[in-house]
């Protein structure tokens, strides 16, 4: 029987940690504390029920077409095979590079795969540097990827688009072609030169186009 190992590609969601500049950090607290629960149960029995207030763009998350398009598929409409068990490929770029064009993808077969762009930007997670001047895809890179039909495109930086302007061509093109986007990935350096399957399954929520996921890779051990 083949042995498999799993590599976690998700950041930890913590109370007060900002994921995206301009959006609020999550508030994570007790709805029912262990201390209060003791009043409700027999001695020696206690529970904690948590409460989370957050925007859907928190932590490591995916974007589906509804995020950009009113008539696009939302989380409840997305088939599981769009984000689970995908053959994955890592495309690494120079860690000093901010503008990622189509030349980085022209030498690889991406059709039907999860294309994960390794920039190394995750090293700045939970710092002010993470929120500014991050690596991103050009419009021509997004257009090329659409032409090659990957299932999903992910990146380990704050946004797949350049957030200094007001246009979002990568989101517009990829989501318009029903290609899922994963942002704020991490630990992609552990996947270079490995064969793996990628998973990033969100809850089945109607009327929502973005939500945190536990993204991970399944790697076959030799």
């Amino acid at each position: 029987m083949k042995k498999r190992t799993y590599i976690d590609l998700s950041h930890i969601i913590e109370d007060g940690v900002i994921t995206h500049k301009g959006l609020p950090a999550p508030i994570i607290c007790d709805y029912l504390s262990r201390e209060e629960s003791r009043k409700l149960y027999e001695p020696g029995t206690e529970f904690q029920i948590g409460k989370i207030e957050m925007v859907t763009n928190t932590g490591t998350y995916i974007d589906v077409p509804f995020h950009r398009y009113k008539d696009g598929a939302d989380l409840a409409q997305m088939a599981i095979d769009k984000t689970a068990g995908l053959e994955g490929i890592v495309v690494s770029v120079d860690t000093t590079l901010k503008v990622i064009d189509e030349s980085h993808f022209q030498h690889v077969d991406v059709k039907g795969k999860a294309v994960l762009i390794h920039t190394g930007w995750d090293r700045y997670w939970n710092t002010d540097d993470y929120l500014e001047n991050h690596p991103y895809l050009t419009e021509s890179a997004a257009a090329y990827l659409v032409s090659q039909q990957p299932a999903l495109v992910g990146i380990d930086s704050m946004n797949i688009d350049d957030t200094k302007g007001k246009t979002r061509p990568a989101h517009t093109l990829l989501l318009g072609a029903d290609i899922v986007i994963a942002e704020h990935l991490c630990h992609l350096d552990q996947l270079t030169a490995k064969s793996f399957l990628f998973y990033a399954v969100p809850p089945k929520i109607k009327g929502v186009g973005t939500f945190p996921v536990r993204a991970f890779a399944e790697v076959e051990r030799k």
Side-chain angles (χ1 to χ4, degrees), residues 90-162:
V90 172
V91 176
S92 294
V93 302
D94 191 297
T95 57
T96 64
L97 191 66
K98 300 295 176 62
V99 182
I100 304 167
D101 63 25
E102 64 271 27
S103 65
H104 296 279
F105 309 100
Q106 292 172 337
H107 65 289
V108 292
D109 175 17
V110 302
K111 187 171 182 178
K113 298 178 182 178
V115 182
L116 309 183
I117 304 165
H118 171 223
T119 71
W121 201 251
D122 57 321
R123 67 189 182 277
Y124 297 121
W125 174 255
N126 198 19
T127 70
D128 290 340
D129 288 339
Y130 186 80
L131 307 175
E132 302 281 357
N133 301 314
H134 59 84
Y136 63 90
L137 288 187
T138 63
E139 181 173 1
S140 60
Y144 177 79
L145 285 168
V146 167
S147 74
Q148 300 303 300
Q149 302 178 319
L152 177 149
V153 179
I155 194 166
D156 60 1
S157 76
M158 195 197 81
N159 202 295
I160 203 165
D161 269 305
D162 181 4

Coordinates of all heavy atoms in Angstrom, one line a residue, residues 90-162:
V90 N 3.8 23.4 -9.2 CA 4.3 24.6 -8.6 C 5.1 25.3 -9.7 O 6.0 24.7 -10.3 CB 5.1 24.3 -7.4 CG1 5.8 25.6 -6.9 CG2 4.2 23.8 -6.3
V91 N 4.8 26.6 -9.9 CA 5.6 27.5 -10.8 C 6.3 28.5 -9.9 O 5.7 29.3 -9.3 CB 4.8 28.2 -11.8 CG1 5.6 29.1 -12.6 CG2 4.1 27.2 -12.7
S92 N 7.6 28.3 -9.7 CA 8.4 29.2 -8.9 C 9.0 30.4 -9.6 O 9.4 30.2 -10.8 CB 9.6 28.5 -8.2 OG 9.1 27.5 -7.3
V93 N 8.9 31.6 -9.0 CA 9.5 32.8 -9.6 C 10.5 33.3 -8.7 O 10.5 33.0 -7.5 CB 8.4 33.8 -9.9 CG1 7.3 33.3 -10.9 CG2 7.8 34.4 -8.7
D94 N 11.4 34.1 -9.2 CA 12.4 34.8 -8.4 C 11.7 35.5 -7.2 O 10.8 36.3 -7.4 CB 13.2 35.7 -9.2 CG 14.5 36.3 -8.5 OD1 14.3 36.9 -7.5 OD2 15.6 36.0 -9.0
T95 N 12.3 35.4 -6.0 CA 11.6 36.0 -4.8 C 11.7 37.5 -4.9 O 11.0 38.2 -4.1 CB 12.3 35.5 -3.6 OG1 13.7 35.8 -3.6 CG2 12.0 34.0 -3.4
T96 N 12.5 38.1 -5.8 CA 12.6 39.6 -5.9 C 11.6 40.1 -6.9 O 11.5 41.3 -7.1 CB 14.0 40.0 -6.2 OG1 14.4 39.5 -7.5 CG2 15.0 39.5 -5.2
L97 N 11.0 39.2 -7.6 CA 10.1 39.6 -8.8 C 8.7 39.9 -8.2 O 8.1 39.2 -7.4 CB 10.0 38.5 -9.8 CG 9.4 38.8 -11.1 CD1 10.2 39.8 -11.9 CD2 9.2 37.5 -11.9
K98 N 8.2 41.1 -8.7 CA 6.8 41.5 -8.3 C 5.8 41.3 -9.5 O 4.7 41.0 -9.2 CB 6.8 42.9 -7.9 CG 7.8 43.2 -6.7 CD 7.3 42.6 -5.5 CE 8.2 42.8 -4.3 NZ 8.4 44.2 -3.9
V99 N 6.3 41.4 -10.7 CA 5.4 41.4 -11.9 C 5.6 40.0 -12.6 O 6.7 39.8 -13.1 CB 5.7 42.6 -12.8 CG1 4.7 42.5 -14.0 CG2 5.5 43.9 -12.1
I100 N 4.6 39.2 -12.6 CA 4.7 37.8 -13.1 C 4.0 37.8 -14.4 O 2.7 37.9 -14.5 CB 4.1 36.8 -12.1 CG1 4.8 37.0 -10.7 CG2 4.3 35.4 -12.6 CD1 4.1 36.2 -9.6
D101 N 4.7 37.6 -15.5 CA 4.1 37.6 -16.8 C 3.9 36.2 -17.4 O 4.3 35.2 -16.7 CB 4.8 38.5 -17.8 CG 6.2 38.0 -18.1 OD1 6.5 36.8 -17.9 OD2 7.1 38.8 -18.5
E102 N 3.4 36.0 -18.6 CA 3.1 34.7 -19.2 C 4.3 33.8 -19.4 O 4.2 32.6 -19.5 CB 2.3 34.9 -20.4 CG 3.0 35.6 -21.6 CD 2.8 37.1 -21.6 OE1 2.6 37.7 -20.5 OE2 2.9 37.7 -22.7
S103 N 5.5 34.4 -19.5 CA 6.7 33.6 -19.8 C 6.9 32.6 -18.8 O 7.6 31.5 -19.0 CB 7.9 34.6 -19.9 OG 8.2 35.2 -18.7
H104 N 6.4 32.7 -17.5 CA 6.6 31.8 -16.5 C 5.8 30.5 -16.6 O 6.0 29.5 -15.9 CB 6.4 32.4 -15.1 CG 7.3 33.5 -14.8 ND1 8.6 33.3 -14.3 CD2 7.2 34.9 -14.9 CE1 9.2 34.5 -14.1 NE2 8.3 35.5 -14.5
F105 N 4.8 30.6 -17.5 CA 3.9 29.4 -17.7 C 4.0 28.7 -19.0 O 3.4 27.7 -19.2 CB 2.5 29.9 -17.4 CG 2.3 30.7 -16.2 CD1 2.3 32.1 -16.2 CD2 2.2 30.1 -14.9 CE1 2.1 32.8 -15.0 CE2 2.1 30.8 -13.7 CZ 2.1 32.1 -13.8
Q106 N 4.7 29.3 -19.9 CA 4.7 28.8 -21.3 C 5.4 27.5 -21.5 O 5.3 26.8 -22.5 CB 5.2 29.9 -22.3 CG 4.3 31.1 -22.4 CD 4.9 32.2 -23.1 OE1 6.2 32.4 -23.2 NE2 4.1 33.1 -23.7
H107 N 6.2 27.1 -20.5 CA 7.0 25.9 -20.6 C 6.4 24.7 -19.8 O 7.0 23.6 -19.8 CB 8.4 26.1 -20.0 CG 8.4 26.4 -18.6 ND1 8.0 27.6 -18.1 CD2 8.9 25.7 -17.5 CE1 8.1 27.6 -16.7 NE2 8.7 26.5 -16.4
V108 N 5.2 24.9 -19.3 CA 4.6 23.9 -18.5 C 3.2 23.5 -18.9 O 2.5 24.4 -19.5 CB 4.5 24.3 -17.0 CG1 5.9 24.3 -16.4 CG2 3.8 25.6 -16.8
D109 N 2.8 22.3 -18.8 CA 1.4 21.9 -19.1 C 0.5 22.1 -17.9 O 0.7 21.5 -16.8 CB 1.4 20.4 -19.5 CG 0.1 19.8 -19.7 OD1 -0.9 20.6 -19.9 OD2 -0.1 18.6 -19.7
V110 N -0.4 23.0 -18.0 CA -1.3 23.4 -16.8 C -2.7 22.9 -17.0 O -3.5 23.1 -16.1 CB -1.2 24.9 -16.6 CG1 0.2 25.4 -16.4 CG2 -1.9 25.7 -17.8
K111 N -3.1 22.4 -18.1 CA -4.5 22.0 -18.4 C -5.1 21.1 -17.3 O -4.5 20.0 -17.1 CB -4.6 21.4 -19.8 CG -6.1 21.2 -20.2 CD -6.2 20.8 -21.6 CE -7.7 20.7 -22.0 NZ -7.9 20.3 -23.4
G112 N -6.2 21.6 -16.7 CA -6.9 20.8 -15.7 C -6.2 20.7 -14.4 O -6.7 20.0 -13.5
K113 N -5.1 21.4 -14.2 CA -4.3 21.3 -13.0 C -4.5 22.5 -12.0 O -5.1 23.5 -12.4 CB -2.8 21.2 -13.3 CG -2.4 20.0 -14.1 CD -1.0 19.9 -14.5 CE -0.6 18.7 -15.4 NZ 0.8 18.7 -15.8
A114 N -4.1 22.3 -10.8 CA -3.9 23.4 -9.9 C -2.5 24.0 -10.0 O -1.5 23.3 -9.8 CB -4.1 22.9 -8.4
V115 N -2.5 25.2 -10.5 CA -1.2 25.9 -10.8 C -0.9 26.8 -9.6 O -1.6 27.8 -9.4 CB -1.3 26.7 -12.1 CG1 0.0 27.4 -12.4 CG2 -1.7 25.9 -13.3
L116 N 0.1 26.5 -8.8 CA 0.4 27.2 -7.6 C 1.7 28.0 -7.8 O 2.7 27.5 -8.1 CB 0.6 26.2 -6.4 CG -0.5 25.2 -6.2 CD1 -0.3 24.3 -5.0 CD2 -1.9 25.9 -6.2
I117 N 1.6 29.3 -7.7 CA 2.7 30.2 -8.0 C 3.4 30.5 -6.7 O 2.9 31.1 -5.8 CB 2.1 31.5 -8.6 CG1 1.3 31.2 -9.9 CG2 3.3 32.5 -9.0 CD1 0.4 32.3 -10.3
H118 N 4.7 30.1 -6.7 CA 5.5 30.2 -5.5 C 6.4 31.5 -5.6 O 7.3 31.5 -6.5 CB 6.4 29.0 -5.4 CG 7.5 29.1 -4.3 ND1 8.8 28.7 -4.5 CD2 7.4 29.6 -3.1 CE1 9.5 28.9 -3.4 NE2 8.7 29.5 -2.6
T119 N 6.1 32.5 -4.9 CA 6.9 33.7 -4.9 C 7.7 33.9 -3.6 O 8.6 34.8 -3.5 CB 5.9 35.0 -5.0 OG1 5.2 35.1 -3.8 CG2 4.9 34.8 -6.1
G120 N 7.4 33.1 -2.6 CA 8.0 33.3 -1.3 C 7.5 34.4 -0.4 O 8.0 34.7 0.7
W121 N 6.4 35.1 -0.9 CA 5.9 36.2 -0.2 C 5.3 35.8 1.2 O 5.1 36.7 2.1 CB 4.8 36.9 -1.0 CG 4.6 38.4 -0.6 CD1 3.5 38.8 0.0 CD2 5.5 39.5 -0.8 NE1 3.6 40.2 0.2 CE2 4.8 40.6 -0.3 CE3 6.7 39.6 -1.4 CZ2 5.4 41.9 -0.3 CZ3 7.3 40.9 -1.4 CH2 6.6 42.0 -0.8
D122 N 4.9 34.6 1.3 CA 4.4 34.1 2.6 C 5.3 34.3 3.8 O 4.9 34.3 4.9 CB 3.9 32.7 2.5 CG 5.1 31.7 2.1 OD1 5.9 32.1 1.3 OD2 5.1 30.6 2.7
R123 N 6.6 34.6 3.5 CA 7.5 34.8 4.6 C 7.2 36.1 5.3 O 7.7 36.3 6.5 CB 9.0 34.9 4.1 CG 9.3 36.1 3.1 CD 10.6 35.9 2.5 NE 11.1 37.0 1.6 CZ 10.7 37.1 0.4 NH1 9.9 36.2 -0.2 NH2 11.1 38.1 -0.4
Y124 N 6.4 37.0 4.7 CA 6.0 38.3 5.4 C 4.7 38.2 6.1 O 4.2 39.3 6.5 CB 6.0 39.4 4.3 CG 7.3 39.6 3.7 CD1 7.5 39.5 2.3 CD2 8.4 40.0 4.4 CE1 8.7 39.8 1.6 CE2 9.7 40.3 3.8 CZ 9.8 40.2 2.4 OH 11.0 40.4 1.8
W125 N 4.0 37.0 6.1 CA 2.7 36.9 6.7 C 2.6 37.6 8.1 O 3.6 37.4 8.9 CB 2.3 35.5 6.8 CG 1.0 35.2 7.5 CD1 0.9 34.7 8.7 CD2 -0.3 35.4 7.0 NE1 -0.5 34.6 9.1 CE2 -1.2 35.0 8.0 CE3 -0.8 35.9 5.8 CZ2 -2.6 35.1 7.8 CZ3 -2.2 36.0 5.6 CH2 -3.1 35.6 6.6
N126 N 1.6 38.3 8.4 CA 1.3 38.9 9.6 C 2.3 40.0 9.9 O 2.7 40.3 11.1 CB 1.3 37.9 10.8 CG 0.6 38.5 12.0 OD1 -0.1 39.4 12.0 ND2 0.9 37.8 13.2
T127 N 2.8 40.7 8.9 CA 3.6 41.9 9.0 C 3.1 42.9 8.1 O 2.3 42.6 7.1 CB 5.1 41.6 8.6 OG1 5.2 41.4 7.2 CG2 5.7 40.4 9.4
D128 N 3.5 44.2 8.3 CA 3.0 45.3 7.4 C 3.5 45.1 6.0 O 2.9 45.4 5.0 CB 3.5 46.6 7.9 CG 2.8 47.0 9.2 OD1 1.7 46.5 9.5 OD2 3.3 47.9 9.9
D129 N 4.7 44.5 5.8 CA 5.3 44.2 4.5 C 4.4 43.3 3.6 O 4.4 43.5 2.4 CB 6.7 43.6 4.6 CG 7.7 44.6 5.1 OD1 7.5 45.8 5.0 OD2 8.8 44.2 5.7
Y130 N 3.7 42.4 4.3 CA 2.9 41.5 3.5 C 1.8 42.2 2.7 O 1.4 41.8 1.7 CB 2.2 40.5 4.5 CG 1.5 39.4 3.8 CD1 2.1 38.3 3.2 CD2 0.1 39.4 3.7 CE1 1.4 37.3 2.6 CE2 -0.6 38.4 3.0 CZ 0.0 37.4 2.5 OH -0.7 36.4 1.8
L131 N 1.3 43.3 3.3 CA 0.2 44.0 2.7 C 0.5 45.0 1.6 O -0.4 45.6 1.0 CB -0.6 44.8 3.9 CG -0.9 43.9 5.1 CD1 -1.6 44.8 6.2 CD2 -1.9 42.8 4.7
E132 N 1.8 45.2 1.3 CA 2.2 46.2 0.4 C 3.1 45.6 -0.7 O 3.9 44.8 -0.4 CB 3.0 47.4 1.1 CG 2.2 48.1 2.2 CD 1.2 49.1 1.7 OE1 1.2 49.3 0.4 OE2 0.5 49.7 2.5
N133 N 3.0 46.1 -1.9 CA 3.9 45.8 -3.0 C 4.2 44.3 -3.2 O 5.3 43.9 -3.4 CB 5.3 46.5 -2.8 CG 5.1 48.0 -2.7 OD1 4.4 48.6 -3.5 ND2 5.7 48.6 -1.7
H134 N 3.1 43.6 -3.2 CA 3.2 42.1 -3.3 C 3.3 41.7 -4.8 O 2.9 42.4 -5.7 CB 2.0 41.5 -2.7 CG 0.7 42.0 -3.3 ND1 0.2 41.4 -4.5 CD2 -0.1 43.0 -3.0 CE1 -0.9 42.0 -4.9 NE2 -1.1 43.0 -4.0
P135 N 3.8 40.5 -5.0 CA 3.9 39.9 -6.4 C 2.4 39.6 -6.9 O 1.5 39.3 -6.1 CB 4.6 38.6 -6.2 CG 5.3 38.7 -4.9 CD 4.5 39.6 -4.0
Y136 N 2.3 39.8 -8.2 CA 1.0 39.6 -8.8 C 1.1 39.2 -10.3 O 2.2 39.3 -10.9 CB 0.2 40.9 -8.7 CG 0.8 42.0 -9.5 CD1 0.5 42.3 -10.9 CD2 1.7 42.9 -8.9 CE1 1.0 43.3 -11.6 CE2 2.3 43.9 -9.6 CZ 1.9 44.1 -10.9 OH 2.5 45.2 -11.6
L137 N 0.0 38.7 -10.8 CA 0.0 38.3 -12.3 C -0.4 39.5 -13.1 O -1.3 40.3 -12.8 CB -1.1 37.2 -12.5 CG -0.8 35.8 -12.0 CD1 -2.0 34.9 -12.5 CD2 0.5 35.3 -12.5
T138 N 0.2 39.6 -14.3 CA -0.2 40.6 -15.3 C -1.4 40.1 -16.0 O -1.8 38.9 -15.9 CB 0.9 40.8 -16.3 OG1 1.1 39.5 -17.1 CG2 2.2 41.2 -15.7
E139 N -2.1 41.0 -16.7 CA -3.3 40.7 -17.4 C -2.9 39.7 -18.5 O -3.7 38.7 -18.7 CB -3.9 41.9 -18.0 CG -5.1 41.7 -18.8 CD -5.8 42.9 -19.3 OE1 -5.3 44.0 -19.0 OE2 -6.9 42.8 -19.9
S140 N -1.8 39.8 -19.2 CA -1.4 38.9 -20.2 C -1.1 37.5 -19.7 O -1.4 36.5 -20.3 CB -0.2 39.4 -21.0 OG 0.9 39.6 -20.1
A141 N -0.6 37.4 -18.4 CA -0.3 36.1 -17.8 C -1.7 35.4 -17.5 O -1.8 34.2 -17.8 CB 0.5 36.3 -16.5
A142 N -2.6 36.2 -17.0 CA -4.0 35.6 -16.7 C -4.6 35.2 -18.0 O -5.2 34.1 -18.1 CB -4.8 36.7 -16.0
A143 N -4.5 36.0 -19.1 CA -5.1 35.6 -20.4 C -4.5 34.3 -20.9 O -5.2 33.5 -21.5 CB -5.0 36.8 -21.3
Y144 N -3.2 34.2 -20.8 CA -2.5 33.0 -21.2 C -3.0 31.8 -20.5 O -3.3 30.7 -21.0 CB -1.0 33.1 -21.1 CG -0.3 31.9 -21.5 CD1 -0.1 31.6 -22.9 CD2 0.2 31.0 -20.6 CE1 0.5 30.4 -23.3 CE2 0.8 29.8 -21.0 CZ 1.0 29.5 -22.3 OH 1.6 28.3 -22.7
L145 N -3.1 31.9 -19.1 CA -3.5 30.8 -18.3 C -5.0 30.4 -18.7 O -5.3 29.2 -18.8 CB -3.5 31.2 -16.9 CG -2.1 31.2 -16.3 CD1 -2.1 31.8 -14.9 CD2 -1.5 29.8 -16.2
V146 N -5.8 31.4 -19.0 CA -7.2 31.1 -19.4 C -7.2 30.2 -20.7 O -7.9 29.3 -20.9 CB -8.0 32.4 -19.6 CG1 -9.3 32.1 -20.4 CG2 -8.3 33.0 -18.3
S147 N -6.3 30.6 -21.6 CA -6.2 29.9 -22.9 C -5.7 28.4 -22.7 O -5.9 27.6 -23.5 CB -5.2 30.6 -23.8 OG -3.8 30.5 -23.5
Q148 N -5.0 28.2 -21.6 CA -4.5 26.8 -21.3 C -5.4 26.0 -20.4 O -5.1 24.8 -20.1 CB -3.1 26.9 -20.7 CG -2.1 27.7 -21.6 CD -1.9 27.0 -23.0 OE1 -1.6 25.8 -23.1 NE2 -2.2 27.7 -24.0
Q149 N -6.4 26.6 -19.9 CA -7.5 25.9 -19.1 C -7.0 25.1 -17.9 O -7.3 23.9 -17.7 CB -8.2 24.9 -20.0 CG -8.8 25.6 -21.2 CD -9.5 24.7 -22.2 OE1 -9.0 23.6 -22.5 NE2 -10.7 25.1 -22.7
P150 N -6.3 25.8 -16.9 CA -6.1 25.1 -15.6 C -7.4 25.0 -14.9 O -8.4 25.7 -15.2 CB -5.1 26.0 -14.9 CG -5.4 27.4 -15.5 CD -5.8 27.1 -16.9
A151 N -7.5 24.2 -13.8 CA -8.7 24.1 -13.0 C -8.7 25.2 -11.9 O -9.7 25.8 -11.6 CB -8.7 22.8 -12.3
L152 N -7.4 25.6 -11.5 CA -7.3 26.5 -10.3 C -5.9 27.2 -10.5 O -5.0 26.5 -10.9 CB -7.4 25.7 -9.0 CG -7.2 26.5 -7.7 CD1 -8.1 25.8 -6.6 CD2 -5.8 26.5 -7.2
V153 N -5.9 28.4 -10.1 CA -4.6 29.1 -10.0 C -4.5 29.7 -8.6 O -5.4 30.4 -8.1 CB -4.5 30.3 -11.1 CG1 -3.2 31.0 -10.9 CG2 -4.7 29.7 -12.5
G154 N -3.4 29.4 -7.9 CA -3.1 29.9 -6.6 C -1.8 30.7 -6.5 O -0.9 30.5 -7.3
I155 N -1.7 31.5 -5.5 CA -0.5 32.3 -5.2 C -0.3 32.4 -3.7 O -1.2 32.4 -2.9 CB -0.6 33.7 -5.9 CG1 0.7 34.4 -6.0 CG2 -1.7 34.5 -5.3 CD1 0.8 35.5 -7.0
D156 N 1.0 32.6 -3.3 CA 1.3 32.7 -1.9 C 1.5 34.2 -1.5 O 2.2 34.4 -0.5 CB 2.5 31.9 -1.6 CG 3.8 32.3 -2.4 OD1 3.7 33.2 -3.2 OD2 4.8 31.6 -2.2
S157 N 0.9 35.1 -2.2 CA 1.0 36.5 -1.8 C -0.4 37.0 -1.5 O -1.4 36.3 -1.5 CB 1.6 37.4 -3.0 OG 0.7 37.6 -4.0
M158 N -0.5 38.4 -1.2 CA -1.7 38.9 -0.7 C -2.8 38.9 -1.7 O -4.0 38.9 -1.4 CB -1.5 40.4 -0.2 CG -2.6 40.9 0.6 SD -2.6 42.7 0.8 CE -3.3 43.2 -0.7
N159 N -2.5 39.0 -3.0 CA -3.5 39.1 -4.1 C -2.9 38.6 -5.4 O -1.8 38.9 -5.7 CB -4.1 40.5 -4.2 CG -5.5 40.6 -4.8 OD1 -5.6 40.2 -6.0 ND2 -6.4 41.0 -4.0
I160 N -3.7 38.0 -6.2 CA -3.2 37.6 -7.5 C -3.2 38.7 -8.5 O -2.5 38.7 -9.5 CB -4.1 36.4 -8.0 CG1 -3.4 35.6 -9.1 CG2 -5.4 36.9 -8.6 CD1 -4.0 34.3 -9.4
D161 N -3.9 39.8 -8.1 CA -3.9 41.0 -8.9 C -3.0 42.1 -8.3 O -2.8 42.1 -7.1 CB -5.3 41.6 -9.1 CG -6.0 41.1 -10.3 OD1 -5.5 41.2 -11.4 OD2 -7.1 40.5 -10.2
D162 N -2.6 43.1 -9.1 CA -1.9 44.3 -8.6 C -3.0 45.1 -7.8 O -4.0 45.6 -8.4 CB -1.3 45.1 -9.7 CG -0.6 46.3 -9.3 OD1 -0.5 46.5 -8.1 OD2 -0.2 47.1 -10.2

